[in-house]
Amino acid sequence: MPETANAEVIVVGGGLAGLSAAIYLGRAKRDTLLIDSGRSMARWEPDVQNYLGFPEGIAGDELLRRARRQARRYHVKFARDEIAAAARRKDGFRLRGKKGSYLGRRLLLATGIFHIPPDIPGLKPCLGRSMFFCKDCDGYRVQGRSIAIYGWTNETVAYALAMLFYSSCVAIVTDGRPPRWDRAHARWIREYEIPVYRKRIFGARRNGTALKALNFEGGMEARVDALFTTRGDIYLNKLAKGLGAKINREGEIVVDFDMRTTVPGLYAAGCVTPANCQMIIAAGQGATAAQGINRDLLEESLATHSLRRFRGRQLRSARVRPVVRRK
Ligand SMILES: Cc1cc2nc3c(=O)[nH]c(=O)nc-3n(C[C@H](O)[C@H](O)[C@H](O)COP(=O)(O)OP(=O)(O)OC[C@H]3O[C@@H](n4cnc5c(N)ncnc54)[C@H](O)[C@@H]3O)c2cc1C
């Protein structure tokens, strides 16, 4: 059995939310361990254009690399592992990973989500280049192009309407599924004259990473430069569920303003919570969670008098008053 690693705070997830939290915790002098399985969604974005402070854009994996370097500067420890289970203990949490086990007094889950890709073979090379999941991230970069929205729900219609600000050529493709949008959304489709193609899609034509066309059953081909999918997301909430935290109907971990879940000592941040799934929002939530955890640990150390013991050591061993001189 591998050794158990201990830390005051454990962060599971090394994407934008987890790394931002780790930087704040390290700078708050909290002994912090970040455990990550290395599958941040940010890796899929070659050119992040909406993150503050990078006017020329930055690749998602470079942003992650810089954030890891920044966290190391504040003595955050890292473990590459995938946590399979978590359990509560009197004094915190025990985690079991594929490679080791871990004990922490506070736990932050920043495990993210998985966007469900469209059911069209051969599109993987287009991911982040001409096939997208997020209008706020990628709408701006496909202005004036021929855009297809993949889906059959109210969200599909909302995406199509929002895309009209970027292009006059926007269509919905349902890939053979019966539409599930309500009457109001059906009315908007008619009012704004958005074409809907309902035939099954059996393939796509692309040139490298550039999508060129969608091929429909019956022999029709539609020229498409960009495909946005609205099939939904899978929330990576298994650990939170196992610990008994409240999860909403979508699968998001329910949190308060300090990113506290309904389980004492357990926090969550980033896309796995009810946030708009954006890098800057995930990073902000990570910072909020870290501040909440730091406050929580300070209050605990006052209640248990461990801060008094720490102060006692300071008083015995260090200069505790500023040097004062008579002028
Ligand atoms: C193609 C694409 C393009 C995007 N473009 C943009 C953009 O331009 N701008 C923008 O703002 N946003 C963009 N996004 C969204 C952005 O990537 C997310 O908002 C951001 O990554 C969310 O951060 P997070 O920390 O919540 O999750 P993530 O960054 O996904 O990080 C979650 C981490 O948790 C780890 N993890 C999960 N479960 C476990 C476990 N059990 N044990 C250990 N580790 C675990 C994962 O490996 C992963 O590293 C894009 C997303 C995609 C897919």
Side-chain angles (χ1 to χ4, degrees):
M1 185 69 192
E3 255 180 60
T4 299
N6 269 285
E8 203 174 12
V9 186
I10 294 183
V11 178
V12 180
L16 273 293
L19 283 164
S20 170
I23 291 165
Y24 269 70
L25 288 163
R27 287 176 52 78
K29 307 281 279 178
R30 296 294 176 191
D31 171 31
T32 304
L33 171 66
L34 185 147
I35 307 169
D36 185 39
S37 54
R39 288 196 288 268
S40 166
M41 284 176 284
R43 293 170 310 146
W44 293 107
E45 180 52 73
D47 179 23
V48 181
Q49 296 177 348
N50 59 354
Y51 200 88
L52 189 76
F54 295 97
E56 281 82 36
I58 181 169
D61 56 0
E62 176 60 15
L63 194 57
L64 293 172
R65 216 177 355 261
R66 289 186 191 204
R68 281 194 292 269
R69 187 148 54 88
Q70 196 174 352
R72 278 197 195 93
R73 182 173 166 196
Y74 304 112
H75 308 290
V76 171
K77 296 173 286 183
F78 285 84
R80 174 57 80 94
D81 201 352
E82 178 150 352
I83 301 302
R88 285 173 77 181
R89 289 160 45 103
K90 202 167 89 234
D91 55 349
F93 300 89
R94 173 184 282 277
L95 308 185
R96 186 169 48 76
K98 286 184 176 162
K99 297 185 188 158
S101 56
Y102 309 88
L103 290 175
R105 281 166 54 201
R106 295 293 180 277
L107 177 59
L108 169 62
L109 299 175
T111 44
I113 59 177
F114 173 73
H115 295 297
I116 306 171
D119 204 2
I120 305 171
L123 272 186
K124 198 164 176 202
C126 302
L127 181 57
R129 309 277 177 167
S130 55
M131 194 263 281
F132 308 103
F133 297 100
C134 160
K135 60 179 164 45
D136 298 331
C137 311
D138 301 305
Y140 190 87
R141 62 183 102 222
V142 296
Q143 290 180 66
R145 307 280 182 80
S146 176
I147 300 170
I149 314 295
Y150 184 98
W152 41 90
T153 61
N154 285 349
E155 192 191 4
T156 314
V157 179
Y159 254 68
L161 292 168
M163 282 297 164
L164 295 177
F165 290 96
Y166 297 118
S167 176
S168 56
C169 186
V170 177
I172 290 174
V173 294
T174 67
D175 197 11
R177 266 75 157 201
R180 293 214 314 259
W181 44 70
D182 62 22
R183 279 160 66 173
H185 286 77
R187 205 174 53 242
W188 286 325
I189 291 176
R190 287 193 300 276
E191 185 178 347
Y192 293 97
E193 301 185 37
I194 297 169
V196 178
Y197 298 96
R198 297 181 184 216
K199 288 242 158 40
R200 250 190 85 65
I201 301 168
F202 67 83
R205 190 158 57 76
R206 61 180 174 82
N207 184 1
T209 59
L211 180 63
K212 292 290 171 193
L214 295 175
N215 299 112
F216 296 85
E217 240 171 35
M220 190 186 83
E221 178 178 277
R223 214 204 94 201
V224 168
D225 306 312
L227 180 72
F228 284 76
T229 176
T230 60
R231 269 189 94 188
D233 304 310
I234 295 171
Y235 290 84
L236 303 179
N237 59 17
K238 192 179 102 182
L239 299 174
K241 266 188 189 160
L243 288 165
K246 186 171 176 189
I247 310 285
N248 69 17
R249 273 174 48 185
E250 274 72 38
E252 300 156 332
I253 305 173
V254 174
V255 284
D256 67 10
F257 284 121
D258 288 322
M259 312 313 293
R260 266 189 298 240
T261 71
T262 52
V263 173
L266 179 68
Y267 292 71
C271 294
V272 74
T273 70
N276 184 332
C277 190
Q278 297 288 293
M279 291 185 191
I280 202 148
I281 294 173
Q285 284 197 335
T288 303
Q291 288 182 322
I293 291 171
N294 192 34
R295 258 195 317 275
D296 185 3
L297 285 167
L298 176 67
E299 281 163 17
E300 184 183 86
S301 64
L302 289 171
T304 60
H305 302 285
S306 65
L307 188 62
R308 182 64 230 165
R309 290 190 288 278
F310 173 78
R311 181 64 176 153
R313 285 194 295 279
Q314 274 186 339
L315 290 170
R316 282 192 298 279
S317 65
R319 182 164 59 78
V320 292
R321 287 177 210 282
V323 176
V324 180
R325 285 205 191 93
R326 204 176 285 278
K327 280 195 116 187

